[in-house]
Amino acid sequence: MSGVRVLVGTRKGAFVLTSDGKRELWDVSGPHFAGWEIYHLKGSPADPNRLYASQTSGWFGQIIQRSDDGGKTWHQPGTPPGEPTTTPDGMPKGESNKFVYDASPETGKPLTKHQWYDGKLRPWEFKRVWHLEPSLTDPDTVYAGVEDAALFRSTDGGQTWRELSGLRGHGTGPDWQPGAGGMCLHTILLDPSDPGRIYIAISAAGAFRSDDAGQTWRPINRGLKSQYIPDPNAQVGHCVHRIAMHRSRPGVLFMQKHWDVMRSDDAGESWQEVSGNLPTDFGFSIDVHAHEPDTVYVVPIKSDSEHYPPEGKLRVYRSRTGGNEWEALTKGLPQRDCYVNVLRDAMAVDSLDSCGVYFGTTGGQVYASADAGDTWAPIVRDLPAVLSVEVQTLP
Amino acid sequence: MIRVMLPAHLRALAHVDGEVTLDVEGEATQRSVLDALEARYPMLRGTIRDHVTQQRRPFVRFFACEQDLSHEQPDAPLPDAVVMGTEPFFIIGAIAGG
């Protein structure tokens, strides 16, 4: 019988939640990497046993972890337990946490500063990996979105990383600035119909697209309006929180911006607002039903200064029309005194026949719906604050 | 033989319990001890010193013989008691955060 594996990153470790296709009874494994911030973990679409995790600490920096057995055991790529810790020529391994910006004269050198909160220029400084996106076809290829915003790629299973500096260097980099959470590259979408096409999003710079596998990039923010920047229609500077697509229709994108829920029908060339009847169009997470490309989910959050659901009612909103018309999904979710947040990477869907929808909260709950959002139940209630949720549908 | 005490998170990364003992070639300094530590436990590279600059990470401190050695020069000799192995070299995560 098929099943699901839910990968949960929290402020104090990672958890793996598994169930069969009914999604009623759950096994909870963890905490893995106890005490560390796990910004994100995700499985390879090409090999469900291959998982990657971003483990970070304000004290000890960035660690990349990898599992080759579906999360039962983990190791830092390049230094598996029991293997020699040096290469045959005596050089130490352990480069899996080495993220060094491209400083070559050709691409990196003129691009080493970005805007800071006070409007001054500040050099790029690596802080952490926010998002890991494994290749759709090769388990050893994985992309990393990092703070300060840049895109890295590994083609050796996470052992070594190289910046795709055409993004930071395409020209608008010096105008990027951090959002409240830092200047992070948090969204990476790989187009399943075109191996060359990659979408990424940065807070607070906006959305960008490459059509040549990450070598060159350009902003795709036409139609976004952000009242909090000097030119609301600027080419960059928009605080995009999350972008989602349906794999059958990769040219259609849905975006939760700082404020506004947006839609593009032309691969990001232009955007239209589809906030419609949402109670507030601020939020972080957004995702698309596994089998219905026009069914979209968001979790409205009251405002940029009040990061909790309006009226203390935790409601997922679902549109079956690709936006504009939204219905509140409340059955099984707390409808009073609820003041948690749902962060940008903390919602995911499975691809079972009856699509499962999952999200985690900063209060430590992970909620699941096995009927596309009609009803909800908590899988766990008392984890550390949830930073990310991903789902693998297992054969 | 140099005795090194790692903080709990780094012991977990290195898959070790308790103290680490290292043979250090040449004079025992912060740099030579950390070089030997990272050569034996390469998974610790980047967690104590920055990969590129080799500077101590801001929230990591070095202590030995009841002295804070964090701001000593990397090539300054370590105390005799550390060199002799009668006292450990402590690598400590600063008490901060939640």
Side-chain angles (χ1 to χ4, degrees):
Chain A
M1 185 182 191
S2 57
V4 293
R5 184 189 292 140
V6 181
L7 309 172
V8 183
T10 80
R11 287 267 180 230
K12 295 295 180 185
F15 296 82
V16 180
L17 320 176
T18 51
S19 180
D20 62 19
K22 291 181 182 175
R23 294 158 288 183
E24 293 172 353
L25 300 175
W26 292 87
D27 178 67
V28 179
S29 149
H32 304 276
F33 327 118
W36 291 69
E37 290 188 303
I38 308 298
Y39 265 63
H40 193 223
L41 57 166
K42 190 163 187 178
S44 161
D47 175 2
N49 283 326
R50 171 64 64 82
L51 311 179
Y52 293 97
S54 169
Q55 173 185 2
T56 76
S57 155
W59 289 262
F60 308 117
Q62 178 68 46
I63 303 291
I64 294 292
Q65 294 278 359
R66 191 178 103 189
S67 174
D68 296 332
D69 56 12
K72 293 185 183 70
T73 61
W74 295 84
H75 65 272
Q76 290 171 251
T79 52
E83 286 194 9
T85 52
T86 55
T87 61
D89 58 358
M91 294 300 289
K93 297 179 182 176
E95 302 285 293
S96 62
N97 60 346
K98 188 174 181 178
F99 290 83
V100 178
Y101 295 106
D102 178 4
S104 64
E106 300 77 20
T107 52
K109 193 174 179 180
L111 315 160
T112 53
K113 291 187 177 179
H114 61 80
Q115 298 284 319
W116 190 235
Y117 295 104
D118 60 2
K120 294 177 181 169
L121 287 172
R122 172 174 286 228
W124 250 267
E125 178 186 328
F126 175 80
K127 297 183 177 67
R128 61 180 58 83
V129 173
W130 276 65
H131 186 96
L132 291 162
E133 190 67 32
S135 155
L136 299 174
T137 55
D138 175 17
D140 283 338
T141 295
V142 55
Y143 297 83
V146 313
E147 175 189 356
D148 288 336
L151 184 64
F152 285 75
R153 181 169 60 197
S154 171
T155 57
D156 55 12
Q159 295 182 63
T160 58
W161 297 87
R162 186 179 180 89
E163 187 191 2
L164 295 170
S165 57
L167 170 62
R168 200 167 47 93
H170 76 264
T172 67
D175 295 328
W176 302 355
Q177 56 191 322
M183 197 175 81
C184 55
L185 194 162
H186 50 69
T187 297
I188 304 169
L189 296 176
L190 307 175
D191 186 333
S193 68
D194 180 352
R197 178 163 285 182
I198 307 172
Y199 302 94
I200 65 95
I202 295 168
S203 291
F208 300 82
R209 194 181 84 202
S210 171
D211 293 325
D212 56 8
Q215 298 309 303
T216 62
W217 295 82
R218 63 189 178 87
I220 49 167
N221 299 308
R222 194 157 60 88
L224 304 186
K225 287 187 171 57
S226 300
Q227 299 301 331
Y228 48 82
I229 57 178
D231 174 5
N233 303 299
Q235 184 184 26
V236 297
H238 304 277
C239 194
V240 176
H241 283 181
R242 185 77 178 144
I243 302 175
M245 70 156 69
H246 190 274
R247 56 181 293 117
S248 74
R249 209 173 56 177
V252 178
L253 304 174
F254 295 96
M255 173 193 292
Q256 173 68 67
K257 194 162 68 65
H258 194 76
W259 294 97
D260 302 334
V261 177
M262 308 294 292
R263 170 180 175 143
S264 172
D265 289 292
D266 51 11
E269 297 291 341
S270 62
W271 296 88
Q272 300 80 42
E273 185 173 1
V274 292
S275 304
N277 62 327
L278 288 170
T280 160
D281 58 19
F282 186 90
F284 291 96
S285 56
I286 189 165
D287 214 335
V288 184
H289 189 291
H291 312 301
E292 301 172 11
D294 268 325
T295 297
V296 186
Y297 300 89
V298 295
V299 182
I301 297 297
K302 185 174 179 183
S303 74
D304 51 2
S305 57
E306 294 172 273
H307 283 186
Y308 43 73
E311 304 171 66
K313 300 176 179 177
L314 182 56
R315 291 166 290 186
V316 176
Y317 275 72
R318 177 175 64 193
S319 172
R320 292 190 181 280
T321 56
N324 283 321
E325 300 161 26
W326 300 88
E327 57 177 325
L329 308 174
T330 61
K331 195 170 179 182
L333 298 175
Q335 294 304 297
R336 55 174 294 183
D337 305 328
C338 181
Y339 292 92
V340 298
N341 194 3
V342 178
L343 299 177
R344 70 188 80 224
D345 236 348
M347 177 181 267
V349 298
D350 70 32
S351 58
L352 293 173
D353 286 344
S354 175
C355 177
V357 187
Y358 307 80
F359 69 92
T361 77
T362 54
Q365 302 86 32
V366 177
Y367 290 100
S369 169
D371 52 13
D374 290 340
T375 60
W376 298 86
I379 304 175
V380 284
R381 289 182 179 276
D382 300 304
L383 298 186
V386 174
L387 302 178
S388 64
V389 173
E390 294 286 354
V391 183
Q392 294 179 283
T393 306
L394 304 173
Chain B
M1 185 184 68
I2 306 291
R3 299 162 54 200
V4 176
M5 199 67 191
L6 294 168
H9 282 320
L10 298 190
R11 291 200 300 273
L13 279 183
H15 306 285
V16 297
D17 291 319
E19 283 183 358
V20 170
T21 55
L22 300 168
D23 290 320
V24 176
E25 292 184 14
E27 188 172 37
T29 65
Q30 285 183 20
R31 190 191 308 277
S32 65
V33 168
L34 293 175
D35 286 348
L37 179 71
E38 293 175 356
R40 184 153 153 202
Y41 302 102
M43 62 282 277
L44 299 182
R45 296 183 74 197
T47 65
I48 300 167
R49 301 181 292 186
D50 182 88
H51 263 297
V52 177
T53 66
Q54 294 292 293
Q55 296 289 308
R56 173 179 54 83
R57 294 183 60 80
F59 283 6
V60 172
R61 311 284 293 197
F62 305 136
F63 282 78
C65 305
E66 300 182 357
Q67 299 174 59
D68 183 355
L69 306 179
S70 306
H71 298 287
E72 296 293 314
Q73 291 300 310
D75 295 316
L78 292 176
D80 288 344
V82 173
V83 176
M84 300 297 292
T86 54
E87 288 288 336
F89 179 73
F90 286 92
I91 299 173
I92 292 174
I95 297 172

